[in-house]
Amino acid sequence: MAAVYVIILLAYGSTLQTLFGHWTTWDGSQSHGLVIVALSVYLYIQRMEPGLLLKRAQPLTLAAILPVSLFWALSAAISVDIIAELCLLLLLLMMQFALFGSRNVKALIGPVALLIFAIPIWDYLNPPLVELASHVVTTMLGLSNLTAHIETNSIFLPFGTIIIAEGCSGLRYLLIALALSIYLVLTSHVNLRHSVLIILVSAALGLLVNWLRIYIIILMAYRTEMQTGLLEDHETFGWVLFVIVIIPMFFIANRLRIYQHEKLDWPFDKRSRKVILLTTVVMITGPLLLLLQSQALSEPGHIAALEEDNFVQAGFIPAKGKLKTDPPPDKLFVLEYRKSASPVMITSAFYWQKQTGDALVPYIPEIIDTTNWRIVSNEKTPLSDGTLAAVMVLERKLTSETRLVVYWLKVGGFTTTNYKAAKLLQYPAMLSGNNLFEYTRLETGCSEKTCNREVDAVLDVANSFNALVNASAPD
């Protein structure tokens, strides 16, 4: 069995490499991943019994594994890592049913499912957890005698500003508390009601740790006029606080009766070799197909040939600017248009997939800087060619400065204003053979809070710019 897992893990090596990168980023949200994997593997080895392997293959289970493996290959081909990682976890779960059958698989589902806490899908909880932490800490500060102005996740003190960023969401504490509680449930004799209670209490303690951490840091920053060392060592302080608060879990563990899995020690039946072989072949179908389909992709010639002169002739002026994305743009235009009432800055970045396995949509840290700006309004407006653009009015926190932002994301000819949707649009883009991604953003200052005077002017500039880009496309 060990050889089978080695083959499968090698076949899905690209996904494992990505996960390992998350697990070894010590200040990342998945820095606990290696611990989760160790707990999962330990439990699995304790409970796995070769004597319970099926003697005959289950066609329906193998048939269910095949499309998941193929979908993993499609996700890996466009580097949609989250979905590829979830596919791998689902495949490992389905593999247990294919090898052991529904009767004997119960003891192995828990150890394998525990791996869900090592996958960064939980990162999508960061925004609501930041919002929740902001509300709770705001309430706690309201009960104190601190002079502070609080706006969303920004806390303005007389001596400086503290931002409750995504790293302060408390996600790591929550995930570790949940993982430990579920491990505790899996290794103890507890009924369903007590299991749910243990998990809920652990989750509450994980969240409480983060709220206390933020509150104490703000309190110390206020008392020391922003000179406290906790502002620099807040990570270490958080883990110390986590250990202190989570201690009740260990007292609970000592009172529970440990679950001992009784091994049957049945001999391995040679007839199971066929089941193992068929399951392994089906499991690695996706990786084999991806390997056979790997190839270099051609660049979109019309965009590669597009130059600043194409825009200068239409009244746009070259300007200086950068765009922080990973990877950087293959083609970047930073322009200014001064013929409107207020100068409009245009940043347009183009990316294309070089080979199978590369991401088409890059990592964009943030389209809107919500740390310093508040979104007043957000509407969707189609441009003259049908491109759907977001029209947003932003107001700088603690000031009356207002700006208008218009942007769109175009993935292989499909347009959206949502970054997560753009990542998913890579699937139809790949299937259609279009490997071009565009991120265009226009921005200008406003003379009034509603930006009504500037909207039409900026949309006209957006249409003009879009028409020049479309004119370069082949018929």
Side-chain angles (χ1 to χ4, degrees), residues 124-142:
Y124 291 106
L125 290 177
N126 271 321
L129 285 177
V130 167
E131 186 175 351
L132 178 60
S134 300
H135 284 304
V136 172
V137 173
T138 297
T139 302
M140 296 170 72
L141 290 175

mmCIF file of all heavy atoms in Angstrom, residues 124-142:
data_model
loop_
_atom_site.group_PDB
_atom_site.id
_atom_site.type_symbol
_atom_site.label_atom_id
_atom_site.label_comp_id
_atom_site.label_asym_id
_atom_site.label_seq_id
_atom_site.Cartn_x
_atom_site.Cartn_y
_atom_site.Cartn_z
ATOM 1 N N TYR A 124 -10.920 32.154 2.290
ATOM 2 C CA TYR A 124 -12.081 32.950 1.890
ATOM 3 C C TYR A 124 -12.899 33.415 3.104
ATOM 4 O O TYR A 124 -13.791 34.264 2.964
ATOM 5 C CB TYR A 124 -12.973 32.154 0.935
ATOM 6 C CG TYR A 124 -12.323 31.922 -0.407
ATOM 7 C CD1 TYR A 124 -11.814 30.675 -0.770
ATOM 8 C CD2 TYR A 124 -12.180 32.961 -1.321
ATOM 9 C CE1 TYR A 124 -11.195 30.473 -1.990
ATOM 10 C CE2 TYR A 124 -11.569 32.776 -2.547
ATOM 11 C CZ TYR A 124 -11.081 31.530 -2.876
ATOM 12 O OH TYR A 124 -10.460 31.335 -4.089
ATOM 13 N N LEU A 125 -12.592 32.870 4.268
ATOM 14 C CA LEU A 125 -13.258 33.324 5.497
ATOM 15 C C LEU A 125 -12.599 34.572 6.074
ATOM 16 O O LEU A 125 -13.130 35.165 7.017
ATOM 17 C CB LEU A 125 -13.228 32.211 6.554
ATOM 18 C CG LEU A 125 -14.090 30.977 6.300
ATOM 19 C CD1 LEU A 125 -13.884 29.960 7.411
ATOM 20 C CD2 LEU A 125 -15.560 31.355 6.195
ATOM 21 N N ASN A 126 -11.446 34.966 5.533
ATOM 22 C CA ASN A 126 -10.724 36.113 6.088
ATOM 23 C C ASN A 126 -11.559 37.400 6.126
ATOM 24 O O ASN A 126 -11.640 38.040 7.179
ATOM 25 C CB ASN A 126 -9.421 36.355 5.319
ATOM 26 C CG ASN A 126 -8.261 35.577 5.907
ATOM 27 O OD1 ASN A 126 -8.133 35.444 7.118
ATOM 28 N ND2 ASN A 126 -7.400 35.060 5.042
ATOM 29 N N PRO A 127 -12.183 37.809 5.015
ATOM 30 C CA PRO A 127 -12.960 39.071 5.061
ATOM 31 C C PRO A 127 -14.066 39.077 6.113
ATOM 32 O O PRO A 127 -14.145 40.024 6.907
ATOM 33 C CB PRO A 127 -13.511 39.197 3.629
ATOM 34 C CG PRO A 127 -12.538 38.451 2.790
ATOM 35 C CD PRO A 127 -12.091 37.294 3.628
ATOM 36 N N PRO A 128 -14.947 38.041 6.176
ATOM 37 C CA PRO A 128 -15.982 38.088 7.229
ATOM 38 C C PRO A 128 -15.401 37.999 8.633
ATOM 39 O O PRO A 128 -15.950 38.593 9.572
ATOM 40 C CB PRO A 128 -16.875 36.879 6.918
ATOM 41 C CG PRO A 128 -16.061 35.994 6.050
ATOM 42 C CD PRO A 128 -15.167 36.890 5.275
ATOM 43 N N LEU A 129 -14.282 37.273 8.806
ATOM 44 C CA LEU A 129 -13.668 37.190 10.128
ATOM 45 C C LEU A 129 -13.043 38.524 10.533
ATOM 46 O O LEU A 129 -13.079 38.901 11.717
ATOM 47 C CB LEU A 129 -12.602 36.088 10.151
ATOM 48 C CG LEU A 129 -13.119 34.648 10.180
ATOM 49 C CD1 LEU A 129 -11.963 33.663 10.134
ATOM 50 C CD2 LEU A 129 -13.975 34.398 11.418
ATOM 51 N N VAL A 130 -12.482 39.253 9.567
ATOM 52 C CA VAL A 130 -11.953 40.600 9.854
ATOM 53 C C VAL A 130 -13.088 41.523 10.262
ATOM 54 O O VAL A 130 -12.973 42.300 11.225
ATOM 55 C CB VAL A 130 -11.207 41.167 8.621
ATOM 56 C CG1 VAL A 130 -10.943 42.661 8.797
ATOM 57 C CG2 VAL A 130 -9.889 40.434 8.416
ATOM 58 N N GLU A 131 -14.199 41.430 9.539
ATOM 59 C CA GLU A 131 -15.364 42.270 9.866
ATOM 60 C C GLU A 131 -15.903 41.925 11.250
ATOM 61 O O GLU A 131 -16.233 42.823 12.040
ATOM 62 C CB GLU A 131 -16.444 42.076 8.810
ATOM 63 C CG GLU A 131 -17.639 42.999 8.969
ATOM 64 C CD GLU A 131 -18.642 42.879 7.845
ATOM 65 O OE1 GLU A 131 -18.334 42.206 6.843
ATOM 66 O OE2 GLU A 131 -19.748 43.445 7.971
ATOM 67 N N LEU A 132 -15.972 40.633 11.560
ATOM 68 C CA LEU A 132 -16.446 40.201 12.878
ATOM 69 C C LEU A 132 -15.503 40.691 13.969
ATOM 70 O O LEU A 132 -15.953 41.210 15.006
ATOM 71 C CB LEU A 132 -16.560 38.683 12.922
ATOM 72 C CG LEU A 132 -16.994 38.060 14.265
ATOM 73 C CD1 LEU A 132 -18.378 38.574 14.659
ATOM 74 C CD2 LEU A 132 -16.986 36.540 14.170
ATOM 75 N N ALA A 133 -14.197 40.540 13.755
ATOM 76 C CA ALA A 133 -13.211 40.996 14.743
ATOM 77 C C ALA A 133 -13.313 42.501 14.942
ATOM 78 O O ALA A 133 -13.215 43.000 16.077
ATOM 79 C CB ALA A 133 -11.803 40.614 14.295
ATOM 80 N N SER A 134 -13.537 43.244 13.854
ATOM 81 C CA SER A 134 -13.669 44.702 13.953
ATOM 82 C C SER A 134 -14.869 45.080 14.812
ATOM 83 O O SER A 134 -14.771 45.976 15.659
ATOM 84 C CB SER A 134 -13.796 45.317 12.554
ATOM 85 O OG SER A 134 -12.664 45.030 11.758
ATOM 86 N N HIS A 135 -16.008 44.398 14.620
ATOM 87 C CA HIS A 135 -17.206 44.692 15.401
ATOM 88 C C HIS A 135 -16.995 44.371 16.882
ATOM 89 O O HIS A 135 -17.365 45.164 17.762
ATOM 90 C CB HIS A 135 -18.395 43.896 14.870
ATOM 91 C CG HIS A 135 -18.977 44.447 13.599
ATOM 92 N ND1 HIS A 135 -19.431 45.744 13.483
ATOM 93 C CD2 HIS A 135 -19.173 43.887 12.378
ATOM 94 C CE1 HIS A 135 -19.893 45.960 12.262
ATOM 95 N NE2 HIS A 135 -19.726 44.847 11.568
ATOM 96 N N VAL A 136 -16.409 43.205 17.154
ATOM 97 C CA VAL A 136 -16.209 42.793 18.547
ATOM 98 C C VAL A 136 -15.227 43.730 19.250
ATOM 99 O O VAL A 136 -15.480 44.190 20.376
ATOM 100 C CB VAL A 136 -15.697 41.339 18.606
ATOM 101 C CG1 VAL A 136 -15.312 40.969 20.039
ATOM 102 C CG2 VAL A 136 -16.754 40.383 18.086
ATOM 103 N N VAL A 137 -14.108 44.028 18.592
ATOM 104 C CA VAL A 137 -13.099 44.904 19.204
ATOM 105 C C VAL A 137 -13.660 46.317 19.379
ATOM 106 O O VAL A 137 -13.376 46.985 20.376
ATOM 107 C CB VAL A 137 -11.817 44.924 18.353
ATOM 108 C CG1 VAL A 137 -10.833 45.966 18.877
ATOM 109 C CG2 VAL A 137 -11.168 43.545 18.356
ATOM 110 N N THR A 138 -14.474 46.775 18.433
ATOM 111 C CA THR A 138 -15.103 48.089 18.561
ATOM 112 C C THR A 138 -15.994 48.133 19.805
ATOM 113 O O THR A 138 -15.991 49.116 20.559
ATOM 114 C CB THR A 138 -15.948 48.400 17.312
ATOM 115 O OG1 THR A 138 -15.092 48.468 16.179
ATOM 116 C CG2 THR A 138 -16.683 49.725 17.469
ATOM 117 N N THR A 139 -16.748 47.057 20.023
ATOM 118 C CA THR A 139 -17.601 46.970 21.219
ATOM 119 C C THR A 139 -16.755 46.989 22.487
ATOM 120 O O THR A 139 -17.093 47.676 23.467
ATOM 121 C CB THR A 139 -18.456 45.699 21.174
ATOM 122 O OG1 THR A 139 -19.252 45.709 19.984
ATOM 123 C CG2 THR A 139 -19.375 45.620 22.388
ATOM 124 N N MET A 140 -15.664 46.239 22.484
ATOM 125 C CA MET A 140 -14.782 46.181 23.648
ATOM 126 C C MET A 140 -14.144 47.542 23.926
ATOM 127 O O MET A 140 -14.037 47.978 25.083
ATOM 128 C CB MET A 140 -13.698 45.120 23.437
ATOM 129 C CG MET A 140 -14.245 43.704 23.331
ATOM 130 S SD MET A 140 -13.007 42.490 22.795
ATOM 131 C CE MET A 140 -11.989 42.386 24.273
ATOM 132 N N LEU A 141 -13.752 48.241 22.867
ATOM 133 C CA LEU A 141 -13.155 49.573 23.036
ATOM 134 C C LEU A 141 -14.190 50.579 23.528
ATOM 135 O O LEU A 141 -13.874 51.524 24.244
ATOM 136 C CB LEU A 141 -12.538 50.051 21.717
ATOM 137 C CG LEU A 141 -11.278 49.311 21.257
ATOM 138 C CD1 LEU A 141 -10.858 49.801 19.880
ATOM 139 C CD2 LEU A 141 -10.141 49.514 22.251
ATOM 140 N N GLY A 142 -15.458 50.370 23.104
ATOM 141 C CA GLY A 142 -16.524 51.262 23.553
ATOM 142 C C GLY A 142 -16.748 51.194 25.052
ATOM 143 O O GLY A 142 -17.256 52.149 25.653
#
